[in-house]
Amino acid sequence: MDPQAGPRLPNPNSYPTQLPALKERVKELEDALSKAHERIDDLEKGGPARRADGGSSRSRHATPATASTQAVLAQAVSRQQARARGGSGAQAGQKSWGFLDLLGLTQGAAAGAPATGPISKKLVAAGGARAAVNSVIPPPSDALAVLQAASAAIGTHFAQAAVAGSSKSVELLGDDQKNKEIAVLVRGQLCTALSRVLLHGFKSFKLIGRYHIWDFVQHACEATHERLRRAGGNYSAAERTMTGTVVEVNSSGVEGPANNPNIKFRSFVCSGLNHGLLHEWIAVLTADAETMGKFYETWAFVRSSEQALPQMMEAIRPLASHKYTLSLDYETSRWDLH
């Protein structure tokens, strides 16, 4: 900082007694800041910088005092830009930012208030103003496309049976005990793509530990039982097979890999394909409003719009046209997805 300017800046605790002198000094430094911006503007336009009174051109070489002042101003602007990115801004309605604002000494600034005035406009042009924080996190732009691609890849896999002279039948292509490729396509690609969509806006944190997507599946299963109990207990095919699969997967083991929630979720998806109802299971999982509110933010993809869930279901609906024989214990008995 300029050795001449530093000592004249009062301690914030002494503002009441030194306010008049402080205001005068601030005005001087604001004038210096304004002239510095004029010089920068002239240089950017390619023309010589003129004095405020229309006199002769400024020297191309800055004096030591001018260089020192410019260094102070550059440091001040840099500090203000850092504060802006951190969430502080100029007070709403303020015509310009004073030197104390740039030094970060202004108290009571409205957080997030838009900066106005000529100086702030220059900062905006330089990218120094803080962008508005959006509380809604958009889903990965390719999440749905990746899910559609994973579904299409499985369709291409089964299309091998229709190739003239092919020795591969639909049954063989859909059996993970006889065809490793279907295991990789389902457990390695489809499950990953599906979980990527389902995890958008997922409330993973809880008081102790973290929620897993399998916790959501189990809770949705319990909510389905309760909803249907109140309605008379008439289960649809999707509701009956989905709730039965959750029980089957959970009973496969309580120790080692069998108790891994990632493996349980992938086995759940495999069972949905075996039953040809995976797309309908998604609708059952997301049917209970209370469960959705517990596990998902309001801006989550599966709650974001009326079109989101149908889009997700349509992406995997074509999978129901194929015949699968996928083992629920594939990963615990073989561990061969490479």
Side-chain angles (χ1 to χ4, degrees):
M1 178 175 286
D2 187 343
Q4 299 295 325
R8 298 185 186 180
L9 287 175
N11 187 311
N13 296 327
S14 63
Y15 280 174
T17 59
Q18 302 185 27
L19 187 58
L22 183 61
K23 286 183 177 180
E24 183 178 352
R25 181 56 179 160
V26 167
K27 185 177 184 305
E28 293 175 0
L29 294 172
E30 283 185 334
D31 289 341
L33 179 61
S34 178
K35 290 178 181 180
H37 277 299
E38 289 177 5
R39 177 172 174 77
I40 292 172
D41 289 342
D42 286 337
L43 290 175
E44 288 177 347
K45 294 176 182 178
R50 299 291 180 180
R51 296 188 180 185
D53 59 0
S56 60
S57 300
R58 296 180 184 269
S59 171
R60 292 180 180 270
H61 303 284
T63 63
T66 302
S68 177
T69 301
Q70 290 177 343
V72 172
L73 295 174
Q75 293 172 4
V77 171
S78 176
R79 277 191 291 269
Q80 181 58 27
Q81 290 176 344
R83 290 179 65 238
R85 288 191 294 269
S88 299
Q91 292 181 354
Q94 189 172 331
K95 292 184 178 180
S96 64
W97 283 349
F99 193 70
L100 291 182
D101 294 308
L102 294 175
L103 291 177
L105 299 180
T106 299
Q107 302 297 317
T116 59
I119 296 178
S120 64
K121 290 179 180 177
K122 296 178 186 296
L123 288 174
V124 171
R130 178 176 65 90
V133 176
N134 190 349
S135 61
V136 177
I137 304 175
S141 58
D142 62 343
L144 193 59
V146 170
L147 179 60
Q148 293 168 335
S151 177
I154 293 175
T156 301
H157 170 76
F158 277 99
Q160 297 177 72
V163 176
S166 174
S167 60
K168 298 179 179 180
S169 65
V170 171
E171 289 75 16
L172 182 147
L173 291 169
D175 189 336
D176 60 6
Q177 298 297 319
K178 301 176 180 178
N179 188 286
K180 175 183 173 182
E181 187 178 355
I182 188 60
V184 175
L185 288 172
V186 172
R187 290 182 177 268
Q189 296 184 21
L190 178 66
C191 291
T192 300
L194 182 59
S195 64
R196 190 181 182 196
V197 177
L198 287 175
L199 286 174
H200 177 257
F202 185 73
K203 298 178 181 178
S204 60
F205 291 98
K206 58 181 178 178
L207 185 60
I208 299 177
R210 301 185 67 177
Y211 283 121
H212 188 278
I213 194 68
W214 183 245
D215 294 314
F216 162 66
V217 171
Q218 294 180 105
H219 199 284
C221 177
E222 295 170 1
T224 300
H225 281 310
E226 179 60 24
R227 173 172 54 83
L228 293 174
R229 184 189 64 78
R230 294 194 302 265
N234 295 318
Y235 286 71
S236 67
E239 293 163 339
R240 175 176 49 78
T241 55
M242 188 199 80
T243 54
T245 292
V246 171
V247 174
E248 181 180 3
V249 170
N250 277 333
S251 63
S252 61
V254 294
E255 295 181 355
N259 198 40
N260 185 315
N262 293 314
I263 294 178
K264 287 185 175 183
F265 176 73
R266 290 192 286 267
S267 297
F268 174 80
V269 172
C270 288
S271 182
L273 293 175
N274 287 343
H275 289 288
L277 295 169
L278 181 61
H279 60 291
E280 294 188 30
W281 283 14
I282 297 299
V284 176
L285 286 174
T286 57
D288 184 67
E290 183 177 346
T291 300
M292 294 300 290
K294 177 179 180 178
F295 287 93
Y296 285 95
E297 303 288 355
T298 55
W299 44 262
F301 178 79
V302 291
R303 298 182 68 190
S304 60
S305 70
E306 294 181 357
Q307 292 76 35
L309 188 58
Q311 286 178 335
M312 186 177 174
M313 293 176 63
E314 285 303 312
I316 60 177
R317 186 186 298 275
L319 298 174
S321 62
H322 309 302
K323 180 177 177 59
Y324 305 87
T325 306
L326 303 173
S327 306
L328 301 192
D329 63 346
Y330 185 92
E331 290 183 68
T332 59
S333 61
R334 296 187 60 173
W335 288 94
D336 185 19
L337 289 176
H338 303 288

